Amino acid sequence: LQEMRGAHEALDQWDRAELLALELLKTYSEMLPKEHGLVLGCYTQVARCRLRQKKFSEAEEVLREALAVWEKW
């Protein structure tokens, strides 16, 4: 999934990349603690995809979630 997400990003298909990033976030969140680097990395991937689509408030929401995890850690 990670490689497919990257391929969609390279093709400027940010909506498809976002869906894959969300799927990765869900999968990693079920398997790993929320402060794990892979989980936090997925938050930033989702946010980047949303920023590229000019979904600024949605990107901010995801980044705030990640920040809350970092602040507790």
Side-chain angles (χ1 to χ4, degrees):
L1 287 177
Q2 192 72 276
E3 291 173 2
M4 288 175 54
R5 182 201 51 79
H8 285 299
E9 285 185 7
L11 296 170
D12 287 333
Q13 297 173 343
W14 296 102
D15 55 337
R16 293 180 181 182
E18 179 186 357
L19 293 175
L20 291 171
L22 286 167
E23 184 64 30
L24 283 165
L25 177 60
K26 179 183 177 219
T27 301
Y28 287 147
S29 294
E30 291 171 354
M31 298 176 0
L32 302 166
K34 60 185 174 183
E35 61 274 356
H36 193 281
L38 289 173
V39 177
L40 291 170
C42 286
Y43 279 109
T44 60
Q45 291 171 0
V46 171
R48 182 176 60 240
C49 291
R50 290 179 176 176
L51 288 170
R52 292 292 192 151
Q53 297 174 79
K54 302 193 184 323
K55 297 179 180 179
F56 301 117
S57 61
E58 292 178 41
E60 179 183 9
E61 179 183 318
V62 173
L63 290 171
R64 287 188 183 277
E65 289 178 41
L67 180 60
V69 173
W70 273 105
E71 289 177 336
K72 289 179 184 177
W73 193 47

